[in-house]
Amino acid sequence: MSKFGELIETRIPVLLDFYAEWDEACKEMHPVLRDVAAALGDKARVIKIDVEKNKELAEALRVKGLPTLMIYKNGEMKWRQSGEQDANTLIGLVNEYV
């Protein structure tokens, strides 16, 4: 959990993707998130978190549906939604917090 604090305590926005390898919707999000990361460059970070390997964190953040996406800035959650999103929507959301 302390590593999580370090991840989100940044001045640039951090887009978190809580996913599971076995989930089809999560698999479909992989190329979308690659595009988002490429488009944002160093203005933001995109971090994927496997809920199977980080059960304690997923439970603490009440991640129920997959994928669950969150945007943090300065340690504060700015946006959260479960389900698939398209690249342009995510880029627009992250850019609101740059």
Side-chain angles (χ1 to χ4, degrees):
M1 291 288 262
S2 63
K3 282 186 181 177
F4 180 71
E6 292 170 25
L7 285 178
I8 64 171
E9 281 291 338
T10 63
R11 290 194 303 271
I12 63 169
V14 179
L15 172 61
L16 301 175
D17 169 36
F18 287 85
Y19 75 100
E21 289 295 337
W22 48 262
D23 186 83
E24 283 304 314
C26 292
K27 287 179 186 174
E28 291 174 20
M29 284 299 297
H30 291 319
V32 172
L33 290 163
R34 261 197 311 273
D35 292 348
V36 170
L40 293 169
D42 59 3
K43 291 191 297 183
R45 294 179 65 196
V46 177
I47 299 172
K48 298 171 67 54
I49 299 175
D50 186 336
V51 295
E52 297 292 324
K53 295 178 182 163
N54 297 280
K55 288 182 177 166
E56 192 176 308
L57 177 60
E59 286 175 17
L61 292 171
R62 295 185 180 96
V63 173
K64 303 277 188 257
L66 295 174
T68 292
L69 302 158
M70 300 177 195
I71 298 173
Y72 277 86
K73 184 172 181 180
N74 296 323
E76 183 182 332
M77 186 187 299
K78 300 292 187 180
W79 176 85
R80 174 183 176 143
Q81 188 159 337
S82 293
E84 295 176 67
Q85 300 289 319
D86 64 84
N88 289 334
T89 300
L90 290 171
I91 292 165
L93 285 163
V94 173
N95 275 328
E96 288 179 30
Y97 304 106
V98 172

